Amino acid sequence: MAKKGKKQNQFEKFKIERVLRSQIRLASYNPRLITDEARKLLKANIKRVGLLDPIIWNRTTGNVVSGHQRLQCLDALNGGTSDDYELTVSA
């Protein structure tokens, strides 16, 4: 934990933010694919221990940079994308 009055590292260019799911788009160019079985295991793990790393999000484009599969699992656990919800992202 940083001590009060200390400045942020000059190389950390991200901010942790709370955003609505409706503000986040899955990038069409996402190269990573996982099997249905791997998605089922990921969803079960998120349900069991929670989301351990934030979704990486580009504020300018609205696209996910990292975490497409985790976000899809969160959508399923939260009732689908028709139900908007808040989540913490690294922007």
Side-chain angles (χ1 to χ4, degrees), residues 1-83:
M1 192 66 126
K3 292 186 178 187
K4 190 174 180 178
K6 297 288 182 183
K7 67 179 185 172
Q8 182 175 356
N9 182 304
Q10 66 178 337
F11 301 106
E12 292 179 352
K13 303 297 182 183
F14 61 89
K15 300 284 184 205
I16 300 298
E17 299 180 7
R18 296 283 294 167
V19 297
L20 290 174
R21 171 60 181 93
S22 59
Q23 294 176 263
I24 302 172
R25 296 182 326 169
L26 294 173
S28 60
Y29 52 82
N30 175 32
R32 304 225 23 226
L33 299 174
I34 62 174
T35 64
D36 290 341
E37 182 63 24
R39 187 177 315 280
K40 181 179 173 183
L41 292 171
L42 177 59
K43 183 178 171 185
N45 194 54
I46 290 172
K47 191 173 184 178
R48 185 172 51 84
V49 299
L51 189 64
L52 300 178
D53 290 320
I55 304 299
I56 311 298
W57 177 64
N58 183 319
R59 185 184 308 110
T60 303
T61 65
N63 288 338
V64 172
V65 175
S66 176
H68 291 78
Q69 286 73 26
R70 288 177 286 143
L71 183 58
Q72 289 174 335
C73 290
L74 286 172
D75 287 346
L77 291 167
N78 283 292
T81 55
S82 62
D83 294 334

